[in-house]
Amino acid sequence: MKKIIVPTDFSIQAENALRIAADMARENDGEVYLLHQLDLPLHLANNGSSNLPEAVFFMKLAKEKFDNLMKADFLDGVTVHGDVATGAAFSGIMDTVKRHNADIIVMGSHGADGVKNLFIGSNAEKVVRNSEIPVLIVKDRKERLDVNEFVFATDLDPNSTSALKEADNFARQTNCQLHLLYVNTPGNFLSTRDASAKMQEYLKNVNVEPKDYTIYNDQSVEEGVFNFSKDIKADVIGMATHGRRGLSHFFNGSVSEDVVNHSSLPVITFRIK
């Protein structure tokens, strides 16, 4: 986690994400790439001469806010690269990731509406679904991301073990305990014997040794993830994504989005490769 991308819209949630990113950079001798993508209104983006003064005003205002943010006390001692650009937010973030060969994206979320209303709306959902690198979603203010207990929820699909390896790498870099979780629900019930056998098969040949694995019975996957995380006092929840096919099918499409939407804990997603 040497190169950390942090998109911002200057909201308190984006600031929370930047604070976390700054701590991550300090602890890993890393760098933060702070980005504000100015998606101008359509009538200004057409570059007509009559729109030029208004476009310049928006750009100047964004630059002033950005410069002030770069001077924040909580960034002291951190190497921060700043960029204010115009254009579509999603493509700007993806271009920045590629240009700097980044390791992780840290983003702020506006509360219970989650992915669909992360600070840049549907663009953030695109980032979560399409990012080749991990995406850490932060909501509440935290002085630091002090990760001790990390829950990685899985559907035990053998095709998703690449995401498990990424989760294990995150656990090693943050020096935390990795708890592997499978939620057993009435609609997709497995006996303890069958679920344990499936878990063992999932872990076979992946060279990942979690602190423990748990088969947790609950009414829904979402409830199981939250209840188990509460039981062990987890600090972060992790899950896999299938990229353009959306969030992992284990979560029945919208369920993993609900986990992101309703979690008060930071959530990190890993792309299945």
Side-chain angles (χ1 to χ4, degrees), residues 14-263:
E15 181 181 311
N16 293 342
L18 182 56
R19 288 174 179 271
I20 293 296
D23 283 335
M24 292 169 65
R26 286 191 191 93
E27 292 173 6
N28 294 280
D29 193 24
E31 301 171 287
V32 172
Y33 293 82
L34 184 62
L35 170 69
H36 177 70
Q37 197 73 20
L38 188 61
D39 199 351
L40 291 171
L42 186 60
H43 73 285
L44 298 181
N46 289 331
N47 294 324
S49 58
S50 61
N51 295 327
L52 185 59
E54 193 173 354
V56 170
F57 169 77
F58 278 111
M59 178 59 80
K60 184 178 179 181
L61 183 62
K63 192 69 170 61
E64 287 177 356
K65 289 183 177 181
F66 195 86
D67 289 344
N68 288 334
L69 182 58
M70 290 280 286
K71 298 173 185 175
D73 292 343
F74 61 82
L75 294 178
D76 287 348
V78 178
T79 299
V80 183
H81 308 275
D83 188 20
V84 177
T86 58
F90 168 68
S91 59
I93 294 168
M94 292 295 96
D95 288 346
T96 302
V97 168
K98 187 176 297 185
R99 187 166 65 253
H100 297 294
N101 193 25
D103 300 305
I104 190 170
I105 302 170
V106 182
M107 305 178 71
S109 166
H110 286 302
D113 290 330
V115 167
K116 290 185 174 60
N117 283 305
L118 288 170
F119 75 96
I120 45 173
S122 61
N123 289 294
E125 186 177 0
K126 292 179 184 177
V127 171
V128 169
R129 288 186 171 182
N130 292 279
S131 178
E132 297 282 350
I133 64 175
V135 181
L136 178 64
I137 300 164
V138 178
K139 290 183 184 178
D140 298 334
R141 167 75 177 272
K142 295 181 181 297
E143 292 302 321
R144 57 185 287 109
L145 185 64
D146 190 11
V147 182
N148 295 305
E149 312 300 333
F150 171 40
V151 174
F152 182 73
T154 176
D155 62 351
L156 302 179
D157 181 349
N159 294 319
S160 70
T161 54
S162 61
L164 172 62
K165 292 175 183 178
E166 291 264 16
D168 182 58
N169 185 49
F170 173 78
R172 292 175 186 274
Q173 290 188 48
T174 55
N175 196 30
C176 68
Q177 303 288 349
L178 174 62
H179 303 269
L180 192 58
L181 172 67
Y182 174 76
V183 180
N184 207 15
T185 63
N188 192 28
F189 183 78
L190 292 175
S191 69
T192 299
R193 183 183 295 271
D194 288 344
S196 295
K198 195 170 182 180
M199 180 71 79
Q200 292 297 330
E201 184 65 26
Y202 178 70
L203 289 171
K204 187 178 179 181
N205 301 323
V206 295
N207 197 30
V208 173
E209 295 183 7
K211 178 184 179 183
D212 52 42
Y213 68 80
T214 301
I215 298 158
Y216 196 91
N217 298 321
D218 216 317
Q219 294 299 314
S220 70
V221 172
E222 181 186 355
E223 290 178 81
V225 171
F226 291 150
N227 288 332
F228 177 75
S229 297
K230 184 176 180 180
D231 289 347
I232 69 163
K233 296 180 172 57
D235 302 295
V236 177
I237 295 170
M239 64 184 70
T241 70
H242 276 294
R244 294 184 184 277
R245 289 190 288 148
L247 291 152
S248 176
H249 62 79
F250 153 58
F251 296 100
N252 296 320
S254 65
V255 178
S256 61
E257 292 181 8
D258 289 341
V259 171
V260 177
N261 291 347
H262 302 131
S263 176

